[in-house]
Amino acid sequence: EAEVAQSPRYKITEKSQAVAFWCDPISGHATLYWYRQILGQGPELLVQFQDESVVDDSQLPKDRFSAERLKGVDSTLKIQPAELGDSAMYLCASSLAWVAGNNEQFFGPGTRLTVL
Amino acid sequence: RKEVEQDPGPFNVPEGATVAFNCTYSNSASQSFFWYRQDCRKEPKLLMSVYSSGNEDGRFTAQLNRASQYISLLIRDSKLSDSATYLCVVNTPNDYKLSFGAGTTVTVRA
């Protein structure tokens, strides 16, 4: 069964350092999402791509976060500099299409970030 | 007000029991509704979509009440393996974003 791949699975860093997460969506999925999930809360969308274009990054803290999907396939999420409040699970998801009512999202295993 | 609100629980139930919980959503124009399941420290996975007429998938039944703006999930004959957090997910109209609730934790005990 096709899966969304993410790496690393765990990342520990010190505040003010830079971190990067990678995601490879299910083959053929045009839409890719990055979510942040803080313990005890639901996932919160950070950025959504349709192919290589950003369609929604309204919740992305752009002063420190950046995301790209250069060839419309895999994607990288970067944080620079990391802050203590960034400690969370970062989930990548993909879906076949960006269609209301028919956009089941498949999630990767996530990257658990701890900022010390 | 949050777009999607859930009772966090936890709901502690014995094996074989029935457990049900609701989720309320704030945008009356929301069109699509889902329940996702998330095991501890794992990724969310789609459990079922929720249709206007209500739908059933084995021991799981989902209902939608548009007038009161809530959806429900009922689990019959609970199994130990049903222990998880259940995320209520609502489609945001116009931009097709999914909004997630914080989840309801269910623990089934032997």
Side-chain angles (χ1 to χ4, degrees):
Chain A
E1 183 177 299
E3 296 179 340
V4 176
Q6 287 189 249
S7 67
R9 294 291 305 277
Y10 304 92
K11 180 69 178 178
I12 299 174
T13 191
E14 294 184 343
K15 62 180 181 179
S16 80
Q17 296 298 304
V19 292
F21 313 134
W22 176 80
C23 172
D24 190 13
I26 293 172
S27 179
H29 280 195
T31 311
L32 184 147
Y33 314 80
W34 282 102
Y35 289 90
R36 176 171 60 187
Q37 186 174 24
I38 295 170
L39 195 62
Q41 298 182 20
E44 174 194 23
L45 181 69
L46 292 174
V47 61
Q48 176 179 338
F49 289 92
Q50 179 69 17
D51 298 312
E52 67 275 8
S53 300
V54 174
V55 296
D56 186 345
D57 63 355
S58 56
Q59 299 303 310
L60 189 70
K62 297 181 189 64
D63 57 333
R64 297 185 300 107
F65 286 64
S66 64
E68 60 184 16
R69 193 184 184 198
L70 292 176
K71 298 181 179 178
V73 182
D74 59 338
S75 175
T76 302
L77 178 69
K78 297 179 181 177
I79 308 174
Q80 182 173 16
E83 295 181 353
L84 295 177
D86 296 333
S87 294
M89 174 80 92
Y90 290 82
L91 292 159
C92 178
S94 69
S95 64
L96 263 177
W98 179 37
V99 177
N102 188 27
N103 53 353
E104 178 182 354
Q105 296 184 19
F106 297 83
F107 285 82
T111 296
R112 185 168 298 277
L113 173 67
T114 301
V115 182
L116 303 176
Chain B
R1 184 182 171 187
K2 292 182 180 178
E3 289 186 53
V4 181
E5 298 206 51
Q6 296 184 246
D7 180 346
F11 288 77
N12 295 305
V13 299
E15 266 187 299
T18 295
V19 59
F21 41 89
N22 294 339
C23 149
T24 59
Y25 59 95
S26 60
N27 192 330
S28 60
S30 295
Q31 297 172 327
S32 304
F33 310 88
F34 310 89
W35 285 104
Y36 274 69
R37 171 193 168 125
Q38 186 171 28
D39 293 316
C40 187
R41 296 183 173 273
K42 298 289 184 107
E43 72 273 23
K45 293 185 178 179
L46 179 66
L47 178 67
M48 59 196 301
S49 301
V50 185
Y51 303 123
S52 295
S53 56
N55 50 301
E56 192 173 301
D57 183 1
R59 297 180 293 104
F60 297 82
T61 301
Q63 297 279 353
L64 168 62
N65 185 316
R66 285 192 185 274
S68 300
Q69 294 181 212
Y70 74 85
I71 65 173
S72 64
L73 182 66
L74 182 146
I75 308 173
R76 283 186 304 277
D77 188 23
S78 299
K79 311 292 184 190
L80 294 176
S81 58
D82 295 334
S83 297
T85 295
Y86 293 86
L87 299 168
C88 173
V89 187
V90 176
N91 160 249
T92 303
N94 302 324
D95 60 11
Y96 309 125
K97 224 167 27 176
L98 295 183
S99 295
F100 287 77
T104 296
T105 298
V106 173
T107 302
V108 182
R109 62 182 188 276

